[in-house]
Amino acid sequence: MERRRFGMKWYWIALVAIVLFASFPFISVLIASSLAESHGCVLNEGSVHPCIIAGADWGSALYTMGVLGWLMLATFPIGFVLFLVWLVILAVHRAAWGRKERV
């Protein structure tokens, strides 16, 4: 009888989705701040400042992306809980799979 491998593909996909969900606000802030800095623009949470990139004013979009950083207060804890749930499900599935393979 051929021995089956434990399927980790869907677990890796779920883990990547959890990490992206939890870190999206941080990525948004990094992109906004690097764009503003590279084009000599002011970026802060206080107000929208004009930022001309390729002939268009991106100040409002960069401001929104920068303020999205506050969303980390929700996405990081939710992501951590989702990671713990993912870890428990993985451990239970792996243990059940190992028992099934020995029989």
Side-chain angles (χ1 to χ4, degrees), residues 20-80:
L20 283 176
F21 167 77
S23 61
F24 177 73
F26 181 69
I27 293 168
S28 174
V29 170
L30 286 179
I31 291 171
S33 63
S34 66
L35 276 173
E37 185 177 329
S38 68
H39 289 88
C41 302
V42 175
L43 180 65
N44 61 38
E45 308 172 328
S47 62
V48 177
H49 300 282
C51 182
I52 307 301
I53 300 174
D57 184 10
W58 284 81
S60 181
L62 293 177
Y63 171 79
T64 302
M65 290 173 67
V67 172
L68 274 176
W70 285 101
L71 196 56
M72 284 186 283
L73 294 173
T75 60
F76 276 5
I78 291 170
F80 181 70

